[in-house]
Amino acid sequence: MRLTTKGRYAVTAMLDLALHSDNGPVSLADISLRQGISLSYLEQLFAKLRKQTLVSSVRGPGGGYRLSRANDQIFVAQIVDAVNESVDATGCKGKNDCQSGTTCLTHHLWCDLSDQIHDFLSQISLAQLVSRKDVRLVAQRQENEQLVHAGEIDQSSKINAELLN
């Protein structure tokens, strides 16, 4: 089974956006810092996400991106599909030429698995991910690291905050 970096990064960036959108538009630079994804790569991904109306951009000072609809209306499969990725478990990338140009014995099994994975991801919304405690803990750690990097809090404050959680 293969989910490419593009699909993973798109889901990660959209989850970051969902987690931080309460304070207004989120800049790609902030997502880049928190998630370790290059800014130019995020710009490419968000162009595709915007085309599929999953996000909208806000220009000007304090601008950035926001979700185009409620986070309970955006599903992981939609994000993966928006960046032209597929979850494909076949060895032939769905082309039916697995075995010297013909369909192999297990081709349909792997196609069925790919469909099951897509169906699974179609049932998971950003809202469900945002509500998970483990996701929120990681997001808090990342925010603390971003503040330390920006010099807004010192390392000892970060350690104390992590110990309290």
Side-chain angles (χ1 to χ4, degrees):
M1 204 247 356
R2 187 170 172 255
L3 178 62
T4 66
T5 301
K6 187 189 302 185
R8 290 179 194 277
Y9 281 179
V11 172
T12 299
M14 286 290 286
L15 181 54
D16 185 286
L17 180 61
L19 284 160
H20 296 95
S21 61
D22 290 344
N23 303 325
V26 178
S27 75
L28 293 184
D30 285 343
I31 296 173
S32 175
L33 280 173
R34 283 189 294 265
Q35 303 308 324
I37 303 170
S38 84
L39 186 56
S40 62
Y41 200 72
L42 284 173
E43 288 168 348
Q44 294 171 32
L45 292 176
F46 272 73
K48 291 180 179 191
L49 295 167
R50 191 174 60 240
K51 271 187 178 173
Q52 296 300 314
T53 66
L54 294 175
V55 298
S56 59
S57 60
V58 177
R59 294 180 183 260
Y65 283 88
R66 62 172 52 138
L67 299 175
S68 292
R69 53 191 122 143
N71 61 9
D72 64 345
Q73 298 298 309
I74 299 175
F75 297 87
V76 173
Q78 292 173 314
I79 299 166
V80 173
D81 293 344
V83 295
N84 302 321
E85 289 300 303
S86 63
V87 180
D88 184 9
T90 67
C92 64
K93 299 182 181 171
K95 295 178 184 171
N96 291 336
D97 61 357
C98 338
Q99 191 172 36
S100 303
T102 62
T103 304
C104 73
L105 192 60
T106 56
H107 176 81
H108 298 291
L109 170 69
W110 304 129
C111 284
D112 290 346
L113 175 61
S114 298
D115 292 342
Q116 290 289 322
I117 293 168
H118 193 274
D119 290 346
F120 171 74
L121 296 176
S122 294
Q123 297 173 32
I124 302 171
S125 70
L126 287 178
Q128 289 170 299
L129 294 174
V130 165
S131 70
R132 290 180 56 146
K133 184 178 181 179
D134 57 340
V135 169
R136 289 191 136 338
L137 287 172
V138 171
Q140 184 61 55
R141 177 185 48 81
Q142 291 174 336
E143 288 172 31
N144 289 342
E145 289 170 356
Q146 185 180 15
L147 292 172
V148 168
H149 179 74
E152 294 179 29
I153 63 173
D154 63 21
Q155 188 68 27
S156 62
S157 298
K158 176 187 171 228
I159 293 168
N160 290 336
E162 288 178 354
L163 291 173
L164 293 174
N165 289 329

